[in-house]
Amino acid sequence: MTAVLNFNAGPAMLPPPVLAQVKEELLSYRGLGMSIMEMSHRSKEYEEINQQASNSIRRLLGLGEDYQVLFLQGGASGQFAMIPMNFLPAGQSADYLVMGTWGEKAQEEAANLGKANIAASTRSTNYSRVPEAGEICLDPKAAYIHITTNETIHGVQWHTIPQLGDRPLVADMSSDFLSRPVDGKRFDLIYAGAQKNIGPAGVVAVAIRQAFLEKANKGIPTIFRYSTHAKNNSLYNTPPSLAVYVVNLVLQWIEKQGGLKAIEETNQKKASLIYDCLDLSSGFYKGHAEPGSRSQMNITFRLPSEDLEKEFVKQAQKEGMVGLAGHRSVGGIRASTYNAVPLSACQTLADFMKTFAKRA
Ligand SMILES: *Cc1c(COP(=O)(O)O)cnc(C)c1O
């Protein structure tokens, strides 16, 4: 085994016990003589996985039977389109709160299909913070309000979910899904691409309130209707069964850690190790996000020069740490510290950062 310390932004690190179990069961799932990839998605084995995974998400988010949990394809980007297709009727508009690249993309996609207002944007700060209450301009008749709870590229996160009135609330939680306790009932629709925090690429988890589902537009293609997937329990067409199987194992792992409160405590400790390093470096490391908006999942910062940033990434790699280069659109350094990344990896990174700053 030559495991690295994996700070990738997505696809990202998975819990080692999950990978060990996948390996163990890969050739013969429960002694059936074939892998999960090779059996029908209508088999009772797969149906059990599908059911367990959706129950687990419902439990972790505190959702009742009035919510459906779906496993769909097309990634979070597919949801950018499916949400307005279903919930943005002609003659109405939706409100988008934008604090980074993903929210920007979600709003642009909705604007391709209908009227999508930018109800707030922190673009003028280069997405260094969440919008302040006074900057948010909501339409009392909006079909829905869309937020991104954590912006993966800029490293900006809502520390508490804002109070935005009584319009239906839709959230892209791709990069902080199940990283902390969240009152799921405040949302009408939550979606998250699995490859950041809960599994491999290829599946997006959606939790949707039944009453919201019933308001969906008619006349859209069958495959793009939430109701199609809800009615068929995510088995309308062939699901990404291997990905859902791994997601189910990750969800069991989360519950075994003690649930979201315990997960959050560890995530806080991990992020603090690295943010403390920035704050105590006398300006050598400059965090991108303002302190009140710092992400606990994606920690973004700059060094005094691009040459030093390249050197930082190179030396870190030599010491076994990978995935630290910032997103190609913003540069700098980004350490993604999703649920599966252990505290010890963050400690190693923090120690490396101190030594690097001293040597430079
Ligand atoms: C990664 C990411 C996306 C895009 O996910 P895909 O599955 O690649 O479509 C959307 N939103 C957020 C917040 C993300 O982190």
Side-chain angles (χ1 to χ4, degrees), residues 24-188:
E24 182 66 31
E25 295 178 334
L26 193 63
L27 299 187
S28 179
Y29 182 71
R30 301 218 172 144
L32 292 171
M34 59 182 158
S35 76
I36 203 76
M37 287 178 280
E38 301 166 296
M39 61 180 80
S40 170
H41 55 293
R42 315 257 173 225
S43 62
K44 74 172 184 348
E45 285 76 19
Y46 183 74
E47 293 223 20
E48 187 186 332
I49 290 167
N50 186 40
Q51 204 52 51
Q52 269 181 3
S54 81
N55 288 347
S56 185
I57 288 178
R58 233 196 306 265
R59 218 165 25 242
L60 287 163
L61 293 175
L63 302 174
E65 291 298 319
D66 53 334
Y67 280 80
Q68 290 257 4
V69 173
L70 308 173
F71 297 106
L72 308 180
Q73 298 178 66
S77 304
Q79 294 301 299
F80 294 169
M82 228 171 119
I83 289 160
M85 266 190 231
N86 282 266
F87 299 114
L88 185 49
Q92 229 181 328
S93 64
D95 279 339
Y96 279 74
L97 272 60
V98 179
M99 56 183 211
T101 305
W102 294 115
E104 211 174 70
K105 289 199 161 149
Q107 187 274 334
E108 285 166 4
E109 188 70 312
N112 285 330
L113 291 155
K115 201 158 171 298
N117 290 328
I118 300 176
S121 170
T122 54
R123 189 186 183 137
S124 64
T125 73
N126 190 20
Y127 296 131
S128 64
R129 58 173 177 80
V130 303
E132 284 161 19
E135 297 171 319
I136 303 173
C137 187
L138 296 170
D139 172 0
K141 294 203 182 80
Y144 60 85
I145 302 170
H146 180 282
I147 65 169
T148 312
T149 50
N150 182 70
E151 281 286 355
T152 324
I153 292 173
H154 294 84
V156 168
Q157 185 178 31
W158 288 103
H159 289 187
T160 51
I161 303 299
Q163 292 294 340
L164 298 168
D166 61 0
R167 303 311 299 156
L169 186 57
V170 172
D172 177 358
M173 293 196 187
S174 294
S175 51
D176 64 355
F177 193 50
L178 307 182
S179 69
R180 56 178 174 176
V182 162
D183 180 7
K185 293 187 293 300
R186 285 192 53 198
F187 300 86
D188 293 81

Side-chain angles (χ1 to χ4, degrees), residues 299-318:
I299 301 165
T300 49
F301 54 95
R302 305 295 312 228
L303 272 65
S305 72
E306 284 186 23
D307 284 345
L308 276 169
E309 287 166 353
K310 277 195 196 117
E311 192 54 31
F312 180 94
V313 170
K314 204 167 112 194
Q315 287 192 24
Q317 180 129 25
K318 272 198 199 130

